Amino acid sequence: MRDYREMCELFDTNHLGEPPIPARFRSPLRKVAEWTYATRDIDPLRMYMFGDYRFEAERERVADYVAVSRAGADTDPSYAITTYQLTLGSLALFAQVGCGGVDRDRAVDVAKVRRMFNACAMLADIAEVVPACPRHQLILTYCDFRESRLRWHTRLDEPACAIAPNDLERERTRRPGADPLPLFAAAARALEAHAGSTARDDE
């Protein structure tokens, strides 16, 4: 728990709020590098580039993990990107917010980081309690300076579940800079609806 407490103090001291770490991950959480903590081997640069680990989740069923990092840009030391990743049951979540920079309002930016963490915490709480589906995983990619996307990913090599998600073929996107809460709320409803449909079919 030492690294977990260190991470919370580091982020909170810098007014970013505490990254949401589900209880099961707090003890195994380890400091990987400066401003980077995870329960698995992780590359802060690959987290910063924001693509590799999402593609990994699409290629294969990844063991549950959480990772959080904050990394700066070489061209502007005052600018940093905070990245949060969580794979938990039927959810794969990748979230990223930029903060700082010579032409940006730091107070506004740190509020965005905290809001992203709050949205991630809400979704993590739901992912912890809904049953994991072996065939369908909800992948949420949120970024405040890129397009964000929410969609179901199907694993054809896994046994079919009783009920496929109703919106399996439909993607929901949000423009860069959009508030994370509507998209995260849609993800929460999708997880709960799929879990509820599967449970009713099993009765």
Side-chain angles (χ1 to χ4, degrees):
M1 295 285 283
R2 180 179 60 83
D3 286 356
Y4 167 70
R5 290 191 291 268
E6 175 188 293
M7 179 206 67
C8 291
E9 181 178 0
L10 176 64
F11 277 80
D12 201 39
T13 300
N14 285 271
H15 312 291
L16 299 169
E18 294 182 4
I21 307 297
R24 71 177 74 180
F25 294 129
R26 292 174 186 175
S27 181
L29 190 74
R30 294 292 178 264
K31 182 177 182 179
V32 176
E34 290 300 315
W35 284 97
T36 302
Y37 298 82
T39 58
R40 58 166 283 184
D41 291 335
I42 206 95
D43 184 342
L45 179 59
R46 291 173 65 194
M47 290 184 68
Y48 179 90
M49 298 306 293
F50 204 60
D52 286 0
Y53 292 107
R54 174 174 62 85
F55 298 143
E56 176 191 58
E58 293 175 348
R59 288 194 309 267
E60 58 188 284
R61 190 79 182 203
V62 179
D64 291 348
Y65 78 95
V66 66
V68 60
S69 72
R70 181 170 167 79
D74 293 336
T75 55
D76 185 356
S78 66
Y79 180 76
I81 291 175
T82 300
T83 305
Y84 177 87
Q85 298 179 182
L86 174 69
T87 294
L88 182 56
S90 295
L91 173 70
L93 168 61
F94 306 90
Q96 191 174 69
V97 171
C99 180
V102 293
D103 297 323
R104 296 169 66 119
D105 186 329
R106 176 169 171 78
V108 171
D109 282 351
V110 296
K112 287 182 179 180
V113 176
R114 297 175 75 98
R115 192 164 179 82
M116 180 189 77
F117 282 157
N118 288 340
C120 290
M122 176 271 295
L123 203 50
D125 286 345
I126 293 172
E128 277 201 288
V129 299
V130 299
C133 177
R135 191 171 179 84
H136 304 293
Q137 189 168 42
L138 191 65
I139 298 180
L140 171 56
T141 306
Y142 171 78
C143 182
D144 76 328
F145 52 91
R146 299 186 180 98
E147 185 179 68
S148 299
R149 178 170 295 175
L150 171 65
R151 70 183 184 89
W152 286 101
H153 179 66
T154 304
R155 304 184 186 283
L156 299 178
D157 58 339
E158 296 289 346
C161 65
I163 301 292
N166 291 331
D167 57 352
L168 184 61
E169 301 301 328
R170 185 172 62 211
E171 292 189 358
R172 301 180 185 180
T173 60
R174 293 291 186 275
R175 68 186 185 283
D179 182 0
L181 289 184
L183 192 63
F184 280 64
R189 291 192 299 270
L191 285 172
E192 291 176 328
H194 180 54
S197 297
T198 304
R200 286 192 298 273
D201 190 77
D202 289 340
E203 293 177 353

